[in-house]
């Protein structure tokens, strides 16, 4: 019997997840069907109930339902507890639903494995203090960076987020204008690129050895990555690899096999150029 999986969100028509997971299933010879489900803004719990009632095995959750999924789940992975938002639900054998967050693992795997960029012992600047950043902080800190600085428009939000993670490493929060010194890796976790805007950080934090990483991606170089390159960054990476790698981690949780990702990333980049 073919196992059912899906991604839920609103909107959802743009989602690459069905393409990605269908490719993973082919690569790993898994018998599954993966679809995209548009969920009414006030209908998340009912939609998930219906999906699992129909025999669904697992779900990916995208905006705006990651906090709804957190409230829906019965049990949580350690990283989901830290993130307080989830993007993956797993139907367990006893009928309970386990929640996980694979965003941070996916981003770190893309940075360190696919891009061969070290985080260990490096000075890291992360822009933004919303759910996207909270979701990646634990995996970043587990790489043992020398320091992580969280910069955000609202200073108190950056400071509060940093305080939640100080047990995992050297992490602090500040305002955009208060960013001091040079960084080895700068991660844009804001949605500014979607609006063609830039977080107002000083160009002095960028050197010819700095790597920029934008969690967003598009057909063209993101505004943030273009700014980084214009200011001498050694390398600029967009979030397409993170998208594929977080999906691969969800696939591993569901099917107990980690798919190879390079061919899938290559295909998505080709589609984007077409």
């Amino acid at each position: 019997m073919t196992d059912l999986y899906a991604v839920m969100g609103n909107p959802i028509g743009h989602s690459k997840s069905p393409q990605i997971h269908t490719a993973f299933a082919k690569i790993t010879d898994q018998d599954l069907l993966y679809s995209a489900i548009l969920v009414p803004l006030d209908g998340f719990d009912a939609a998930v109930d219906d999906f699992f009632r129909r025999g669904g095995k697992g779900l990916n959750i995208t905006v705006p339902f990651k906090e709804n999924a957190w409230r829906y789940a019965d049990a949580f992975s350690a990283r989901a507890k830290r993130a307080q938002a989830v993007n993956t639900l797993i139907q367990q054998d006893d009928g309970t639903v386990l929640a996980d967050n694979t965003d941070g693992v996916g981003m770190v795997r893309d940075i360190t494995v696919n891009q061969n960029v070290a985080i260990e012992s490096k000075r890291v600047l992360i822009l933004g203090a919303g759910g996207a950043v909270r979701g990646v902080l634990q995996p970043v800190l587990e790489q043992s960076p020398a320091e992580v600085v969280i910069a955000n428009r609202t200073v108190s939000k950056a400071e509060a987020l940093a305080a939640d993670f100080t047990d995992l490493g050297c992490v602090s929060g500040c305002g955009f204008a208060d960013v001091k010194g040079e960084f080895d890796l700068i991660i844009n976790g804001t949605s500014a690129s979607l609006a063609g805007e830039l977080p107002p950080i000083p160009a002095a934090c960028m050197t010819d050895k700095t790597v920029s990483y934008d969690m967003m991606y598009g057909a063209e170089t993101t505004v943030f990555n273009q700014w980084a390159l214009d200011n001498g960054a050694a390398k600029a990476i967009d979030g397409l690899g993170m998208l594929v790698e977080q999906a691969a981690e969800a696939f591993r949780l569901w099917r107990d096999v980690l798919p190879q990702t390079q061919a899938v990333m290559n295909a998505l980049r080709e589609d984007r150029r077409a």
Side-chain angles (χ1 to χ4, degrees), residues 19 23-24 27 244 259-270:
Q19 180 181 348
F24 287 164
I27 291 167
V244 175
Q260 294 294 315
T261 56
Q262 194 60 56
V264 178
M265 279 187 278
N266 292 344
L268 286 173
R269 292 198 187 280
E270 284 302 317

Side-chain angles (χ1 to χ4, degrees), residues 52 57-59 69 72-78 80-81 86-101 253-254:
F52 285 131
K57 298 291 186 181
L59 286 166
Y72 183 94
D74 302 302
F76 307 88
S77 70
K81 286 180 182 178
V86 300
N87 70 347
T88 304
L89 296 178
I90 306 143
Q91 176 82 296
Q92 300 186 103
D93 292 340
D94 63 359
T96 60
V97 175
L98 174 66
D100 209 331
N101 189 313
L253 294 171
W254 294 330

Side-chain angles (χ1 to χ4, degrees), residues 2-272:
T2 301
D3 291 334
L4 302 179
Y5 297 88
V7 58
M8 288 186 173
N10 186 336
I12 201 64
H14 66 287
S15 176
K16 304 290 186 187
S17 293
Q19 180 181 348
I20 292 169
H21 284 279
T22 299
F24 287 164
K26 185 175 182 180
I27 291 167
T28 58
D29 196 27
Q30 298 284 305
D31 184 14
L32 62 86
L33 179 65
Y34 189 106
S35 60
I37 300 174
L38 177 66
V39 176
L41 294 177
D42 61 352
F44 179 79
D45 284 12
V48 177
D49 286 344
D50 179 67
F51 178 79
F52 285 131
R53 194 179 302 119
R54 291 187 289 108
K57 298 291 186 181
L59 286 166
N60 286 134
I61 308 298
T62 188
V63 292
F65 297 119
K66 290 185 179 183
E67 292 183 358
N68 298 76
W70 164 262
R71 291 190 291 269
Y72 183 94
D74 302 302
F76 307 88
S77 70
R79 60 196 179 197
K81 286 180 182 178
R82 282 284 188 175
Q84 297 179 15
V86 300
N87 70 347
T88 304
L89 296 178
I90 306 143
Q91 176 82 296
Q92 300 186 103
D93 292 340
D94 63 359
T96 60
V97 175
L98 174 66
D100 209 331
N101 189 313
T102 65
D103 285 332
V105 171
M107 187 187 76
V108 167
R109 192 178 291 157
D110 187 40
I111 291 171
T112 61
V113 178
N114 298 337
Q115 303 294 335
N116 197 30
V117 173
I119 297 176
E120 183 178 2
S121 302
K122 303 299 184 181
R123 193 161 190 252
V124 180
L125 173 63
I126 303 181
L127 309 178
V133 172
R134 177 175 283 276
V136 304
L137 267 175
Q138 179 176 340
V140 168
L141 287 164
E142 286 173 346
Q143 292 291 304
S144 301
E147 179 186 10
V148 171
V149 176
I150 302 167
N152 190 58
R153 193 176 304 278
T154 304
V155 178
S156 59
K157 195 171 180 183
E159 291 175 338
L161 180 56
D164 286 346
F165 287 83
T166 51
D167 60 309
L168 297 181
C170 180
V171 55
S172 61
C174 68
F176 288 134
D178 302 316
V179 172
K180 298 289 190 292
E182 299 172 348
F183 290 85
D184 302 291
L185 174 64
I186 303 177
I187 299 169
N188 181 25
T190 75
S191 58
S193 287
L194 295 177
E197 299 172 354
L198 278 171
I201 59 171
C205 66
M206 189 82 58
T207 76
D208 59 2
K209 295 181 175 62
T210 303
V211 174
S212 71
Y213 192 99
D214 198 333
M215 291 189 198
M216 302 296 144
Y217 65 93
E220 307 295 332
T221 303
T222 68
V223 171
F224 171 74
N225 276 343
Q226 191 59 59
W227 171 85
L229 292 170
D230 290 345
N231 283 279
K235 189 174 189 178
I237 308 163
D238 70 14
L240 186 65
M242 175 181 174
L243 173 71
V244 175
E245 293 294 350
Q246 65 80 24
E249 178 67 7
F251 193 93
R252 182 190 69 79
L253 294 171
W254 294 330
R255 309 300 293 185
D256 199 30
V257 57
L258 184 65
Q260 294 294 315
T261 56
Q262 194 60 56
V264 178
M265 279 187 278
N266 292 344
L268 286 173
R269 292 198 187 280
E270 284 302 317
D271 285 350
R272 201 167 59 171

